[in-house]
Amino acid sequence: MGRSRSRDRDRDRDRDRKSRSRGRGGRSRSRSRSRGGRGGREERRRSRSGGRGAPHGAPRGGARPYRNSIIPEPPKPFTVTPEERQNSVEFEGRLYASLDFYPPDKVEELSGQQEMKLMPDDWELVPKEQAVIDTVIALHGWSTNFLVLSQGETYWTNRGLKPGKIQMIWDLERSGRLFRPSQRGGLKNYKGRVLIRTCKPVPPP
């Protein structure tokens, strides 16, 4: 009987030890799980904030880094060559000329502009203005019958039959900054030039 009781006691002791060891294992597992959860949270926070974080001085909000702005060159001063001034008529501070810069008052055989000519810098086509028609077109010959304005309005010069009067609409042929009166059909038989002017008043020479 004594031996059986001792055996029972030994068995009870073994059971207690096993139950205690199991409890300790569960606690360690729960601790490791809680640590893993904290680590996962920290990694998520880092990923949301962009990893280790932006370097010191970097722009926030995805802004582009500062770049040195390019300073534009100052505009070129407006100039008129002596030849352009010599072959022009001044009216209200602006210079008026034919696109081929033919002398406005030179008396020669009538001719016209048949080739494409380049518009000089700081010059423009002339719109229809009655004061210009009366003063610039009607009072000068330009060694041609007609001067053509920006919308094709074509007026007689003082070398024509009716100085200062409109004759027709003569279309302008254009290619970039190249111009000439249209040479289609019978228009090539007319003598005319394109009238241009400076974009702004010019200083005195």
Coordinates of all heavy atoms in Angstrom, one line a residue, residues 63-142:
A63 N 6.9 68.7 -53.9 CA 7.3 69.8 -54.7 C 8.6 69.6 -55.4 O 9.4 68.9 -54.9 CB 7.4 71.1 -53.8
R64 N 8.7 70.2 -56.5 CA 10.0 70.0 -57.3 C 11.1 70.8 -56.7 O 10.9 71.9 -56.1 CB 9.7 70.5 -58.7 CG 8.7 69.7 -59.5 CD 8.6 70.2 -60.9 NE 7.7 69.4 -61.7 CZ 7.3 69.7 -63.0 NH1 7.9 70.7 -63.6 NH2 6.5 68.9 -63.6
P65 N 12.3 70.3 -56.8 CA 13.4 71.1 -56.2 C 13.6 72.4 -56.9 O 13.3 72.5 -58.1 CB 14.6 70.1 -56.4 CG 14.2 69.2 -57.5 CD 12.7 69.1 -57.4
Y66 N 14.2 73.3 -56.2 CA 14.4 74.7 -56.8 C 15.4 74.6 -57.9 O 16.4 74.0 -57.8 CB 14.9 75.6 -55.7 CG 15.2 77.0 -56.2 CD1 14.2 77.9 -56.4 CD2 16.5 77.3 -56.5 CE1 14.6 79.2 -56.9 CE2 16.9 78.6 -56.9 CZ 15.9 79.5 -57.1 OH 16.2 80.7 -57.6
R67 N 15.1 75.3 -59.0 CA 16.0 75.4 -60.1 C 16.2 76.9 -60.5 O 15.3 77.7 -60.3 CB 15.4 74.7 -61.4 CG 15.3 73.2 -61.2 CD 14.7 72.6 -62.5 NE 14.6 71.1 -62.4 CZ 14.1 70.4 -63.3 NH1 13.7 70.9 -64.5 NH2 14.0 69.1 -63.2
N68 N 17.4 77.2 -60.9 CA 17.7 78.6 -61.2 C 16.9 79.0 -62.5 O 16.9 78.3 -63.5 CB 19.2 78.7 -61.5 CG 20.0 78.5 -60.3 OD1 19.6 78.8 -59.2 ND2 21.2 78.0 -60.5
S69 N 16.1 80.0 -62.4 CA 15.3 80.5 -63.5 C 16.2 81.1 -64.5 O 17.2 81.8 -64.2 CB 14.3 81.5 -63.0 OG 14.9 82.6 -62.4
I70 N 15.8 81.0 -65.8 CA 16.6 81.5 -66.9 C 16.1 82.9 -67.1 O 14.9 83.2 -67.3 CB 16.3 80.7 -68.2 CG1 16.8 79.2 -68.0 CG2 17.1 81.3 -69.4 CD1 16.5 78.3 -69.1
I71 N 17.0 83.9 -67.1 CA 16.7 85.3 -67.2 C 16.6 85.6 -68.7 O 17.6 85.3 -69.5 CB 17.8 86.2 -66.6 CG1 17.9 85.8 -65.1 CG2 17.5 87.6 -66.8 CD1 19.0 86.6 -64.4
P72 N 15.5 86.0 -69.2 CA 15.4 86.3 -70.7 C 16.2 87.4 -71.1 O 16.6 88.4 -70.3 CB 13.9 86.7 -70.9 CG 13.4 87.2 -69.5 CD 14.2 86.4 -68.5
E73 N 16.7 87.4 -72.3 CA 17.5 88.4 -72.9 C 16.7 89.7 -73.1 O 15.5 89.6 -73.4 CB 18.1 88.0 -74.2 CG 19.0 86.8 -74.1 CD 19.6 86.5 -75.5 OE1 19.3 87.2 -76.5 OE2 20.4 85.5 -75.6
P74 N 17.2 90.9 -72.8 CA 16.5 92.1 -73.0 C 16.1 92.3 -74.5 O 16.8 91.8 -75.4 CB 17.5 93.2 -72.6 CG 18.8 92.5 -72.7 CD 18.6 91.1 -72.4
P75 N 15.0 92.9 -74.8 CA 14.6 93.1 -76.2 C 15.6 93.9 -76.9 O 16.2 94.9 -76.4 CB 13.2 93.8 -76.1 CG 13.2 94.4 -74.7 CD 14.0 93.5 -73.8
K76 N 15.7 93.6 -78.2 CA 16.6 94.4 -79.0 C 16.1 95.8 -79.3 O 14.9 95.9 -79.5 CB 16.9 93.6 -80.4 CG 17.5 92.3 -80.2 CD 17.7 91.6 -81.6 CE 18.4 90.3 -81.4 NZ 18.6 89.6 -82.7
P77 N 16.9 96.8 -79.3 CA 16.4 98.1 -79.5 C 15.9 98.3 -81.0 O 16.5 97.6 -81.9 CB 17.7 99.0 -79.3 CG 18.8 98.1 -79.5 CD 18.4 96.7 -79.0
F78 N 14.9 99.1 -81.1 CA 14.3 99.3 -82.5 C 15.2 100.2 -83.2 O 15.6 101.3 -82.8 CB 12.9 99.9 -82.3 CG 12.3 100.3 -83.6 CD1 11.9 99.4 -84.6 CD2 12.1 101.6 -83.9 CE1 11.4 99.7 -85.8 CE2 11.6 102.0 -85.1 CZ 11.2 101.1 -86.1
T79 N 15.6 99.7 -84.4 CA 16.5 100.5 -85.3 C 16.0 100.5 -86.7 O 15.3 99.6 -87.1 CB 18.0 99.9 -85.2 OG1 17.9 98.6 -85.7 CG2 18.6 100.0 -83.8
V80 N 16.3 101.6 -87.4 CA 16.0 101.7 -88.8 C 17.3 102.0 -89.6 O 18.1 102.9 -89.1 CB 15.0 102.8 -89.1 CG1 14.7 103.0 -90.5 CG2 13.7 102.5 -88.3
T81 N 17.6 101.3 -90.6 CA 18.8 101.5 -91.4 C 18.7 102.8 -92.2 O 17.6 103.2 -92.5 CB 19.0 100.3 -92.3 OG1 18.0 100.3 -93.3 CG2 19.0 99.0 -91.6
P82 N 19.8 103.4 -92.5 CA 19.8 104.6 -93.3 C 19.0 104.4 -94.7 O 18.3 105.3 -95.1 CB 21.2 104.9 -93.5 CG 21.9 104.3 -92.3 CD 21.2 103.1 -92.0
E83 N 19.2 103.2 -95.3 CA 18.5 102.9 -96.5 C 17.0 102.9 -96.4 O 16.3 103.4 -97.2 CB 19.1 101.6 -97.1 CG 18.4 101.2 -98.4 CD 18.9 99.9 -99.0 OE1 19.7 99.2 -98.2 OE2 18.5 99.5 -100.1
E84 N 16.6 102.2 -95.3 CA 15.1 102.2 -95.0 C 14.6 103.6 -94.8 O 13.5 103.9 -95.3 CB 14.9 101.3 -93.8 CG 15.2 99.8 -94.0 CD 15.0 99.0 -92.8 OE1 15.0 99.6 -91.7 OE2 15.0 97.7 -92.9
R85 N 15.3 104.4 -94.0 CA 14.8 105.7 -93.8 C 14.8 106.6 -95.1 O 13.8 107.3 -95.3 CB 15.6 106.4 -92.7 CG 15.1 107.8 -92.3 CD 16.0 108.4 -91.2 NE 16.0 107.6 -90.0 CZ 15.2 107.8 -89.0 NH1 14.2 108.8 -89.1 NH2 15.2 107.1 -87.9
Q86 N 15.8 106.4 -95.9 CA 15.9 107.2 -97.1 C 14.7 106.8 -98.1 O 14.3 107.7 -98.8 CB 17.2 106.9 -97.8 CG 17.5 107.7 -99.1 CD 18.8 107.4 -99.7 OE1 19.6 106.7 -99.1 NE2 19.1 108.0 -100.8
N87 N 14.3 105.6 -98.1 CA 13.3 105.2 -99.1 C 11.9 105.1 -98.4 O 11.1 104.2 -98.8 CB 13.7 103.8 -99.6 CG 14.9 103.9 -100.5 OD1 15.1 104.9 -101.2 ND2 15.8 102.9 -100.4
S88 N 11.7 105.9 -97.4 CA 10.4 105.9 -96.7 C 9.8 107.3 -96.7 O 10.4 108.3 -97.0 CB 10.6 105.5 -95.3 OG 11.1 104.2 -95.2
V89 N 8.5 107.3 -96.3 CA 7.8 108.6 -96.1 C 7.4 108.6 -94.7 O 6.8 107.7 -94.1 CB 6.5 108.7 -97.0 CG1 5.7 109.9 -96.7 CG2 6.9 108.7 -98.5
E90 N 7.7 109.7 -94.0 CA 7.3 109.8 -92.6 C 6.0 110.5 -92.4 O 5.7 111.5 -93.0 CB 8.4 110.6 -91.8 CG 8.1 110.7 -90.3 CD 9.2 111.4 -89.5 OE1 10.3 111.7 -90.2 OE2 9.1 111.6 -88.3
F91 N 5.1 109.8 -91.6 CA 3.8 110.4 -91.3 C 3.4 110.0 -89.9 O 3.4 108.9 -89.5 CB 2.8 109.8 -92.3 CG 1.4 110.2 -92.1 CD1 1.0 111.6 -92.3 CD2 0.4 109.3 -91.7 CE1 -0.3 112.0 -92.1 CE2 -0.9 109.7 -91.5 CZ -1.3 111.1 -91.7
E92 N 3.1 111.1 -89.1 CA 2.7 111.0 -87.7 C 3.7 110.1 -86.9 O 3.3 109.3 -86.1 CB 1.3 110.4 -87.6 CG 0.2 111.3 -88.2 CD -1.2 110.8 -88.0 OE1 -1.3 109.6 -87.6 OE2 -2.1 111.6 -88.1
G93 N 5.0 110.3 -87.2 CA 6.1 109.7 -86.4 C 6.5 108.3 -87.0 O 7.5 107.8 -86.5
R94 N 5.7 107.7 -87.8 CA 6.0 106.4 -88.4 C 6.6 106.6 -89.8 O 6.3 107.5 -90.5 CB 4.8 105.5 -88.4 CG 4.3 105.1 -87.1 CD 3.2 104.0 -87.2 NE 2.6 103.7 -85.9 CZ 1.9 102.6 -85.7 NH1 1.7 101.8 -86.7 NH2 1.4 102.3 -84.6
L95 N 7.4 105.5 -90.2 CA 7.9 105.5 -91.5 C 7.0 104.5 -92.4 O 6.7 103.4 -91.9 CB 9.4 105.0 -91.5 CG 10.4 105.9 -90.8 CD1 11.8 105.3 -90.9 CD2 10.3 107.3 -91.4
Y96 N 6.7 105.0 -93.6 CA 5.9 104.2 -94.5 C 6.8 103.9 -95.8 O 7.5 104.8 -96.3 CB 4.7 104.9 -95.0 CG 3.6 105.0 -93.9 CD1 3.8 105.9 -92.8 CD2 2.5 104.2 -93.9 CE1 2.8 106.0 -91.8 CE2 1.6 104.2 -92.8 CZ 1.7 105.2 -91.8 OH 0.8 105.2 -90.8
A97 N 6.8 102.7 -96.2 CA 7.6 102.3 -97.4 C 7.0 101.1 -98.1 O 6.1 100.5 -97.6 CB 9.0 101.9 -96.9
S98 N 7.4 100.9 -99.3 CA 7.0 99.7 -100.0 C 7.9 98.6 -99.5 O 9.0 98.8 -99.0 CB 7.2 99.9 -101.6 OG 8.6 100.0 -101.9
L99 N 7.4 97.3 -99.6 CA 8.1 96.2 -99.0 C 9.4 96.0 -99.7 O 10.4 95.5 -99.0 CB 7.2 94.9 -99.2 CG 7.7 93.6 -98.6 CD1 8.0 93.8 -97.1 CD2 6.7 92.5 -98.7
D100 N 9.6 96.4 -100.9 CA 10.9 96.3 -101.6 C 11.7 97.5 -101.4 O 12.8 97.7 -102.1 CB 10.7 95.9 -103.1 CG 9.8 96.9 -103.8 OD1 9.3 97.8 -103.2 OD2 9.6 96.7 -105.0
F101 N 11.2 98.5 -100.6 CA 11.9 99.8 -100.3 C 12.3 100.5 -101.6 O 13.5 100.9 -101.8 CB 13.1 99.5 -99.4 CG 12.7 99.3 -98.0 CD1 12.6 97.9 -97.5 CD2 12.4 100.3 -97.1 CE1 12.2 97.7 -96.2 CE2 12.0 100.0 -95.8 CZ 11.9 98.7 -95.4
Y102 N 11.3 100.6 -102.5 CA 11.6 101.4 -103.7 C 11.4 102.9 -103.4 O 10.5 103.3 -102.6 CB 10.5 101.0 -104.8 CG 11.0 101.3 -106.2 CD1 11.7 100.3 -106.9 CD2 10.8 102.5 -106.8 CE1 12.2 100.5 -108.2 CE2 11.3 102.8 -108.1 CZ 12.0 101.8 -108.8 OH 12.4 102.0 -110.0
P103 N 12.2 103.8 -103.9 CA 12.1 105.2 -103.6 C 10.7 105.8 -103.9 O 10.2 105.6 -105.0 CB 13.2 105.8 -104.5 CG 14.2 104.8 -104.7 CD 13.4 103.5 -104.8
P104 N 10.1 106.4 -102.9 CA 8.7 106.9 -103.1 C 8.5 108.0 -104.2 O 7.4 108.1 -104.7 CB 8.3 107.4 -101.7 CG 9.6 107.7 -101.0 CD 10.6 106.8 -101.6
D105 N 9.6 108.8 -104.4 CA 9.4 109.9 -105.3 C 10.3 109.8 -106.5 O 10.5 110.8 -107.2 CB 9.6 111.2 -104.6 CG 8.6 111.4 -103.5 OD1 7.4 111.2 -103.8 OD2 9.0 111.8 -102.3
K106 N 10.9 108.7 -106.8 CA 11.8 108.6 -107.9 C 11.0 108.3 -109.2 O 10.1 107.5 -109.2 CB 12.8 107.4 -107.7 CG 13.9 107.3 -108.7 CD 14.9 106.3 -108.3 CE 16.1 106.2 -109.3 NZ 17.1 105.2 -108.9
V107 N 11.2 109.1 -110.2 CA 10.5 109.0 -111.4 C 11.2 108.1 -112.4 O 12.2 108.4 -113.0 CB 10.3 110.4 -112.1 CG1 9.4 110.3 -113.4 CG2 9.6 111.4 -111.1
E108 N 10.6 106.9 -112.5 CA 11.2 105.9 -113.4 C 10.0 105.2 -114.1 O 8.9 105.5 -113.8 CB 12.0 104.9 -112.6 CG 13.4 105.4 -112.1 CD 14.2 104.4 -111.5 OE1 13.7 103.2 -111.3 OE2 15.4 104.6 -111.2
E109 N 10.4 104.3 -115.0 CA 9.4 103.5 -115.7 C 8.6 102.7 -114.6 O 9.2 102.2 -113.7 CB 10.0 102.6 -116.7 CG 9.1 101.8 -117.5 CD 9.7 100.9 -118.5 OE1 11.0 101.0 -118.6 OE2 9.0 100.1 -119.2
L110 N 7.3 102.6 -114.8 CA 6.4 101.9 -113.9 C 6.9 100.4 -113.8 O 7.2 99.8 -114.7 CB 5.0 102.0 -114.3 CG 4.4 103.4 -114.3 CD1 2.9 103.3 -114.8 CD2 4.4 104.0 -112.9
S111 N 6.8 99.9 -112.5 CA 7.2 98.5 -112.3 C 6.4 98.1 -111.1 O 5.6 98.8 -110.5 CB 8.7 98.4 -112.0 OG 9.1 99.2 -110.9
G112 N 6.6 96.8 -110.7 CA 5.8 96.3 -109.5 C 6.6 95.2 -108.8 O 7.7 94.7 -109.3
Q113 N 6.2 94.8 -107.7 CA 6.8 93.7 -106.9 C 6.2 92.4 -107.3 O 5.1 92.1 -107.1 CB 6.6 93.9 -105.4 CG 7.2 92.8 -104.6 CD 6.7 92.8 -103.1 OE1 6.3 93.8 -102.6 NE2 6.8 91.6 -102.5
Q114 N 7.0 91.6 -108.0 CA 6.6 90.2 -108.4 C 7.2 89.1 -107.6 O 6.7 88.0 -107.7 CB 6.9 90.1 -109.9 CG 6.2 91.1 -110.8 CD 6.5 90.9 -112.3 OE1 7.5 90.3 -112.6 NE2 5.6 91.3 -113.1
E115 N 8.3 89.4 -106.9 CA 9.0 88.4 -106.1 C 8.5 88.5 -104.6 O 8.2 89.5 -104.2 CB 10.5 88.5 -106.2 CG 11.0 88.4 -107.6 CD 10.8 87.1 -108.3 OE1 10.8 86.1 -107.5 OE2 10.6 87.0 -109.5
M116 N 8.6 87.3 -103.9 CA 8.3 87.3 -102.5 C 9.4 88.1 -101.8 O 10.6 88.0 -102.0 CB 8.3 85.9 -101.9 CG 7.2 85.0 -102.6 SD 5.5 85.5 -102.1 CE 5.4 84.7 -100.5
K117 N 9.0 89.0 -100.9 CA 9.9 89.8 -100.1 C 9.7 89.6 -98.6 O 8.6 89.4 -98.1 CB 9.8 91.3 -100.4 CG 10.1 91.7 -101.9 CD 11.6 91.6 -102.1 CE 11.9 92.0 -103.6 NZ 13.4 91.9 -103.8
L118 N 10.8 89.7 -97.8 CA 10.8 89.4 -96.4 C 10.4 90.7 -95.6 O 11.0 91.8 -95.9 CB 12.1 88.9 -95.9 CG 12.2 88.7 -94.4 CD1 11.3 87.5 -94.0 CD2 13.7 88.4 -94.0
M119 N 9.4 90.6 -94.7 CA 9.0 91.7 -93.9 C 10.1 91.9 -92.9 O 10.5 91.0 -92.1 CB 7.7 91.4 -93.1 CG 7.3 92.4 -92.2 SD 6.6 93.9 -93.0 CE 5.1 93.2 -93.6
P120 N 10.7 93.2 -92.8 CA 11.8 93.4 -91.9 C 11.2 93.4 -90.4 O 10.0 93.5 -90.2 CB 12.2 94.8 -92.2 CG 11.6 95.1 -93.6 CD 10.4 94.3 -93.7
D121 N 12.1 93.2 -89.5 CA 11.8 93.2 -88.1 C 11.3 94.6 -87.7 O 11.8 95.6 -88.2 CB 13.0 92.9 -87.2 CG 13.4 91.4 -87.3 OD1 12.5 90.6 -87.7 OD2 14.6 91.1 -87.0
D122 N 10.2 94.7 -86.9 CA 9.6 95.9 -86.4 C 8.9 96.7 -87.4 O 8.6 97.9 -87.3 CB 10.7 96.8 -85.7 CG 11.4 96.1 -84.6 OD1 10.7 95.5 -83.7 OD2 12.7 96.2 -84.5
W123 N 8.5 96.0 -88.5 CA 7.7 96.6 -89.6 C 6.4 95.7 -89.7 O 6.4 94.6 -89.3 CB 8.4 96.7 -90.9 CG 9.5 97.7 -91.0 CD1 10.7 97.6 -90.4 CD2 9.5 98.9 -91.7 NE1 11.5 98.7 -90.7 CE2 10.8 99.5 -91.5 CE3 8.6 99.6 -92.5 CZ2 11.1 100.8 -92.0 CZ3 8.9 100.8 -93.0 CH2 10.2 101.4 -92.8
E124 N 5.4 96.3 -90.3 CA 4.1 95.6 -90.4 C 3.3 96.1 -91.6 O 3.7 97.1 -92.2 CB 3.2 95.9 -89.1 CG 2.8 97.4 -89.0 CD 2.0 97.7 -87.7 OE1 1.9 96.7 -86.9 OE2 1.6 98.8 -87.6
L125 N 2.3 95.3 -92.0 CA 1.5 95.7 -93.1 C 0.6 96.9 -92.7 O 0.3 97.0 -91.5 CB 0.5 94.5 -93.5 CG 1.2 93.3 -94.1 CD1 0.2 92.2 -94.3 CD2 2.0 93.6 -95.4
V126 N 0.2 97.7 -93.6 CA -0.6 98.9 -93.3 C -2.1 98.6 -93.4 O -2.5 98.2 -94.5 CB -0.2 100.0 -94.2 CG1 -1.0 101.3 -93.9 CG2 1.3 100.3 -94.1
P127 N -2.8 98.9 -92.3 CA -4.3 98.8 -92.4 C -4.9 99.9 -93.2 O -4.2 101.0 -93.4 CB -4.7 98.7 -91.0 CG -3.7 99.5 -90.2 CD -2.4 99.3 -91.0
K128 N -6.2 99.8 -93.5 CA -6.9 100.9 -94.2 C -7.1 102.1 -93.3 O -7.9 101.9 -92.3 CB -8.2 100.4 -94.8 CG -9.0 101.4 -95.5 CD -10.3 100.8 -96.1 CE -11.1 101.9 -96.7 NZ -12.4 101.4 -97.2
E129 N -6.5 103.2 -93.5 CA -6.7 104.4 -92.8 C -6.8 105.6 -93.8 O -5.8 105.8 -94.6 CB -5.6 104.7 -91.8 CG -5.5 103.6 -90.7 CD -4.3 103.8 -89.7 OE1 -3.6 104.8 -89.9 OE2 -4.1 103.0 -88.8
Q130 N -7.8 106.4 -93.7 CA -8.0 107.4 -94.7 C -6.9 108.4 -94.7 O -6.5 108.9 -95.8 CB -9.4 108.1 -94.5 CG -9.8 108.9 -95.7 CD -10.0 108.2 -97.0 OE1 -10.6 107.1 -97.0 NE2 -9.4 108.7 -98.1
A131 N -6.4 108.8 -93.6 CA -5.3 109.8 -93.5 C -4.1 109.3 -94.2 O -3.4 110.0 -94.9 CB -5.0 110.1 -92.1
V132 N -3.8 108.0 -94.1 CA -2.7 107.4 -94.8 C -2.9 107.4 -96.3 O -2.0 107.6 -97.1 CB -2.4 106.0 -94.2 CG1 -1.3 105.3 -95.0 CG2 -2.0 106.0 -92.8
I133 N -4.1 107.0 -96.7 CA -4.4 107.0 -98.1 C -4.2 108.4 -98.8 O -3.6 108.5 -99.8 CB -5.9 106.5 -98.3 CG1 -6.0 105.0 -97.8 CG2 -6.3 106.6 -99.8 CD1 -7.4 104.6 -97.8
D134 N -4.7 109.4 -98.1 CA -4.7 110.8 -98.6 C -3.3 111.3 -98.6 O -2.9 112.1 -99.5 CB -5.6 111.7 -97.8 CG -7.1 111.3 -97.9 OD1 -7.4 110.6 -98.9 OD2 -7.8 111.7 -97.0
T135 N -2.5 111.0 -97.6 CA -1.2 111.6 -97.4 C 0.0 110.8 -98.0 O 0.9 111.3 -98.6 CB -0.9 111.9 -95.9 OG1 -2.0 112.7 -95.4 CG2 0.4 112.7 -95.8
V136 N 0.0 109.5 -97.7 CA 1.1 108.6 -98.1 C 0.9 108.0 -99.5 O 1.9 108.0 -100.3 CB 1.3 107.5 -97.1 CG1 2.4 106.5 -97.5 CG2 1.5 108.1 -95.7
I137 N -0.2 107.6 -99.8 CA -0.4 106.9 -101.1 C -0.7 107.9 -102.2 O 0.0 107.8 -103.3 CB -1.6 105.9 -101.0 CG1 -1.3 104.8 -99.9 CG2 -1.9 105.2 -102.3 CD1 -2.4 103.8 -99.7
A138 N -1.6 108.8 -102.0 CA -2.1 109.7 -103.1 C -1.0 110.7 -103.5 O -1.0 111.2 -104.6 CB -3.4 110.4 -102.8
L139 N -0.1 111.0 -102.6 CA 0.9 112.1 -102.9 C 2.2 111.6 -103.3 O 3.1 112.4 -103.6 CB 1.0 113.0 -101.6 CG -0.2 113.7 -101.1 CD1 0.1 114.6 -99.9 CD2 -0.9 114.5 -102.2
H140 N 2.4 110.3 -103.4 CA 3.7 109.8 -103.8 C 3.5 108.7 -104.9 O 2.5 108.0 -104.9 CB 4.4 109.2 -102.6 CG 4.6 110.2 -101.6 ND1 5.7 111.1 -101.6 CD2 3.9 110.5 -100.4 CE1 5.6 111.9 -100.5 NE2 4.6 111.5 -99.8
G141 N 4.5 108.5 -105.8 CA 4.4 107.7 -106.9 C 4.9 106.2 -106.7 O 4.3 105.3 -107.3
W142 N 6.0 106.1 -106.0 CA 6.5 104.7 -105.8 C 6.9 104.0 -107.1 O 7.1 102.8 -107.0 CB 5.6 103.9 -104.9 CG 5.0 104.6 -103.7 CD1 3.9 105.3 -103.6 CD2 5.6 104.6 -102.4 NE1 3.7 105.8 -102.4 CE2 4.7 105.4 -101.6 CE3 6.8 104.1 -101.8 CZ2 5.0 105.7 -100.2 CZ3 7.0 104.4 -100.5 CH2 6.2 105.1 -99.7

